[in-house]
Amino acid sequence: MKYVAMIYGNQAKWDSFPAEDWPAAIAAQEAFNKKYRETGELLGAYGLADAANAQLVRREAGAPAVTDGPYLETKEYIASFYLLDCVSQERAQRIAADMPFADVEPVELWPVLHESAADL
């Protein structure tokens, strides 16, 4: 079963993190990524740009109509997400709990209920 694990953040949170702590934080995250890529359970890890860079895209008269985003007015936004492929929900929960900073901030875990066929 596939799961999406999401980390939330905001610019104020990133700005408050001491600059000298960033190298260790990044190293811990890369070690996590490597560990679960090697087991085959981490299919992808993606960091997202600040919410100020998000856009909303709609179709109007058959063409893209782009406006600033994100749609929701919220202090927190999805900062990164991970696509996991696990044998059980419990295994996905263990991996999410193993993420760096999971003892400080929760990791949101969603089952992926549908995946479009890759050969279409």
Side-chain angles (χ1 to χ4, degrees):
M1 176 94 181
K2 290 192 174 87
Y3 294 86
V4 173
M6 295 179 285
I7 307 276
Y8 287 81
N10 62 56
Q11 196 60 48
K13 185 185 289 186
W14 313 140
D15 290 343
S16 70
F17 198 77
E20 63 273 10
D21 292 346
W22 276 112
I26 292 168
Q29 191 61 56
E30 287 304 320
F32 169 89
N33 294 348
K34 182 178 187 292
K35 176 180 178 179
Y36 291 106
R37 277 192 181 107
E38 289 175 353
T39 69
E41 294 168 301
L42 177 61
L43 302 179
Y46 310 91
L48 302 178
D50 186 76
N53 297 302
Q55 298 177 330
L56 296 175
V57 180
R58 293 181 176 79
R59 183 179 55 250
E60 291 180 7
V66 181
T67 58
D68 290 339
Y71 183 71
L72 298 174
E73 292 293 325
T74 180
K75 184 175 94 169
E76 298 283 316
Y77 56 85
I78 298 173
S80 58
F81 66 97
Y82 304 80
L83 183 57
L84 306 173
D85 192 1
C86 302
V87 297
S88 67
Q89 182 178 18
E90 292 77 19
R91 179 63 180 156
Q93 291 167 345
R94 283 194 291 278
I95 292 172
D98 194 33
M99 285 189 177
F101 304 107
D103 54 342
V104 178
E105 295 287 337
V107 176
E108 194 167 308
L109 190 64
W110 289 63
V112 176
L113 297 180
H114 173 73
E115 183 175 359
S116 181
D119 61 348
L120 290 181

